[in-house]
Amino acid sequence: PAVAGVTITVGTSMFGTATAGVAFNLAINAISYSAVIVSLWRMDPTQIRQPIRPEQPQRMLDSLREGVRYAVRTPVVLWSLFLLGAIATFGLNFRILLPLFTQGVLHLDADAYGALYASMGLGSLAGALTLAFMSERRAIILMVGGGLAFGLFELALSFSRSALLSVPLLIGVGFFSM
């Protein structure tokens, strides 16, 4: 997100329109996939190992029951699934709404959208680095606390009518999204 914000701003200033800035960002993103495409193209399918399959495959409903039983018996898996479902359903749509928020509520242009998105990316980077360097992780507490903080920062952002207030709130949203 931080790179996207910068490239949208650079593209807008280079080409003169916000549409061109977004197109410039998408072009860079498309080019970034070229390494993956070349890697896939160079793969030798004969070198890929196939897993040994049982003669009688397990029925889908049996597999599903086994997975649900495992999730219920394993709290960290159960909380992960619950929070993922709740946050994905109710919280992650803000990325789609951020351009509308920037234009319709804050009355700003694509440059500001790029900066807002970059601030969220900065928060995400800080959150990822914080998790990486934590010596002790209590998974359930981190997930529940992070999910609650993520929701609170999003709620606070919904009341913001100022870009200066929205930037630290988006940093918080990015941080706790990790």
Side-chain angles (χ1 to χ4, degrees), residues 15-162:
F15 301 109
T17 68
T19 304
V22 173
F24 180 68
N25 178 58
L26 290 173
I28 289 174
N29 190 30
I31 291 169
S32 74
Y33 282 97
S34 62
V36 174
I37 292 169
V38 168
S39 298
L40 288 171
W41 185 35
R42 295 193 59 196
M43 286 177 107
D44 182 5
T46 63
Q47 297 298 315
I48 299 173
R49 287 185 236 138
Q50 296 292 324
I52 299 171
R53 297 186 183 265
E55 297 221 5
Q56 191 73 322
Q58 192 174 17
R59 291 185 352 198
M60 184 184 73
L61 286 176
D62 292 337
S63 294
L64 187 60
R65 273 190 222 104
E66 182 181 343
V68 169
R69 278 194 304 268
Y70 178 78
V72 169
R73 285 190 323 261
T74 314
V76 74
V77 173
L78 185 63
W79 276 105
S80 298
L81 292 172
F82 174 73
L83 287 170
L84 177 65
I87 290 173
T89 301
F90 301 111
L92 293 180
N93 297 332
F94 80 95
R95 294 173 198 249
I96 297 166
L97 298 174
L98 189 58
L100 298 172
F101 176 76
T102 304
Q103 187 178 31
V105 175
L106 299 179
H107 307 292
L108 299 171
D109 59 5
D111 291 345
Y113 168 68
L116 290 172
Y117 211 73
S119 66
M120 188 177 61
L122 180 65
S124 296
L125 177 63
L129 290 174
T130 300
L131 285 172
F133 288 105
M134 288 178 78
S135 59
E136 182 181 331
R137 295 186 201 148
R138 301 181 80 190
I140 294 175
I141 293 171
L142 277 174
M143 286 188 296
V144 173
L148 287 172
F150 176 78
L152 290 173
F153 271 93
E154 277 193 340
L155 185 63
L157 181 66
S158 72
F159 290 105
S160 174
R161 300 296 177 257
S162 159

